[in-house]
Amino acid sequence: MDSKEKIEAIANTLLPSFIPKDKEAKEFLFHFTLPPNSSYKVFFKKDVKANWQFAGFEEAENKTF
């Protein structure tokens, strides 16, 4: 598993591509994969100033088709 700091930094870099269009959304998640085969589900929540903040992550299952 990659370090929390690395996962958070990557998630924050990807964040602008995943921000919900619904202005009323308070939280959301998205998945990303780091080569060669580490996948993560990351969670974001809005703070009191309506800024998206990293709220955590979990390792996601890798599926090979």
Side-chain angles (χ1 to χ4, degrees):
M1 180 184 287
D2 295 282
S3 72
K4 176 192 179 292
E5 292 79 16
K6 180 178 180 180
I7 295 166
E8 183 175 357
I10 293 167
N12 281 321
T13 299
L14 297 171
L15 175 63
S17 298
F18 292 98
I19 291 175
K21 294 186 185 337
D22 179 2
K23 300 293 184 192
E24 299 302 314
K26 303 280 188 230
E27 58 187 23
F28 74 100
L29 63 88
F30 62 89
H31 295 82
F32 67 88
T33 301
L34 294 176
N37 60 359
S38 297
S39 294
Y40 298 98
K41 184 185 324 181
V42 293
F43 305 91
F44 282 83
K45 292 185 178 183
K46 263 188 190 173
D47 64 17
V48 294
K49 294 183 180 179
N51 295 314
W52 290 106
Q53 299 297 320
F54 181 80
F57 73 96
E58 63 185 47
E59 202 162 7
E61 182 180 328
N62 287 318
K63 293 184 180 182
T64 305
F65 296 96

